[in-house]
Amino acid sequence: MEKVVALAKRRGFIFQSSEIYGGLNGAWDYGPFGVELKRNVKNAWWQSIVHWREDMVGLDAAILMHPRTWEASGHTANFADMMVDCKNTKCSFRGRVDQLKNGKCPKCGGSDLTPPRAFNLMLKTNVGAMEDSSSVVYLRPETAQGIFVNFPNVLDSTHRKLPFGIAQMGKSFRNEITPGNFTFRTREFEQMEIEYFCRQEQAQAKY
C-alpha cells in the first residue's frame, strides 16, 4: 500500500492531508491530476444519472443539519462501531471488534481485552456563540438524510409524480476508529447516491 501511495503522490494524483505538518490520518488531498480525474468521474455520473434520465432530479443539501434529523434516523443512538482496547500495557491496541482474530488482539495475540463498547462514528461540532449541548450539530455521516428531509420540498417545487428519484453528491464525514487502507476508509469522503421513490407494488419492476 505504501508503494501505491508514493506512486500516486509522485504522479500528482493524491497527497496526505497537511503533510508538511506531519499529516492527518484518514484525510487526503487530490493533486492536479487527481482532482481532474475525480471531476471527470463526478461529471460522467451526474450526466448519466440525472441529465440522461427523465425520472431523476438533483439535490445539493447542506452538510450541517438539525440534530433531530440524526435522532429520527437512528444515527445518534445506533451509528457506531464496537470498540475494544488491549489491556497489555506494551501493546496499547485499540480497534474494532471485527479486527480481532479468534477473539484475540491482532497486534500482540493476547486475549485480555476490555468489554466491547459502542463508539459513535459521527463527528460533532458547535454552531453559534455558545459551546454547550444546545449548539451541538453533526457533520453528516451520509448524504441520504438530506434527500429524505427534502422530499416534500422537491415534490412541491417540481410537481413530480411517483416514481422518480433524487440524486446527490457531496461530502460526508465519519469519525473512524482505525482509518487506513488508503482512500477506502477515510474520515472525509465524497458520496454519489440516489434515493428512488415509488409505490410498493412498483418496487421490483423499478429496481
Side-chain angles (χ1 to χ4, degrees), residues 70-169:
W70 306 112
E71 293 174 14
S73 66
H75 282 78
T76 305
N78 302 313
F79 192 66
D81 276 346
M82 299 307 292
M83 181 179 72
V84 294
D85 289 305
C86 181
K87 293 182 180 179
N88 183 344
T89 55
K90 295 181 180 179
C91 175
S92 68
F93 168 78
R94 170 175 286 172
R96 304 188 313 275
V97 170
D98 63 1
Q99 292 180 316
L100 303 181
K101 297 179 179 178
N102 298 319
K104 295 185 177 181
C105 174
K107 191 173 178 182
C108 72
S111 57
D112 192 11
L113 306 168
T114 61
R117 59 193 186 280
F119 178 85
N120 197 289
L121 298 176
M122 289 197 294
L123 283 165
K124 288 183 182 179
T125 190
N126 296 84
V127 296
M130 301 295 290
E131 289 193 13
D132 55 26
S133 59
S134 66
S135 68
V136 170
V137 294
Y138 299 96
L139 302 182
R140 66 182 179 194
E142 63 176 36
T143 56
Q145 296 306 317
I147 294 175
F148 294 141
V149 299
N150 277 294
F151 176 76
N153 293 329
V154 172
L155 207 60
D156 292 344
S157 61
T158 63
H159 307 291
R160 289 271 171 169
K161 303 293 184 185
L162 293 178
F164 74 94
I166 301 176
Q168 180 174 214
M169 63 175 68

Side-chain angles (χ1 to χ4, degrees), residues 38-83:
K38 188 177 176 184
R39 186 174 296 278
N40 286 342
V41 170
K42 289 164 63 175
N43 288 344
W45 185 86
W46 195 260
Q47 188 173 44
S48 65
I49 295 296
V50 181
H51 291 167
W52 290 355
R53 293 179 56 162
E54 295 182 354
D55 61 343
M56 195 72 60
V57 295
L59 181 73
D60 186 4
I63 289 172
L64 300 177
M65 302 177 71
H66 195 288
R68 287 177 58 190
T69 303
W70 306 112
E71 293 174 14
S73 66
H75 282 78
T76 305
N78 302 313
F79 192 66
D81 276 346
M82 299 307 292
M83 181 179 72

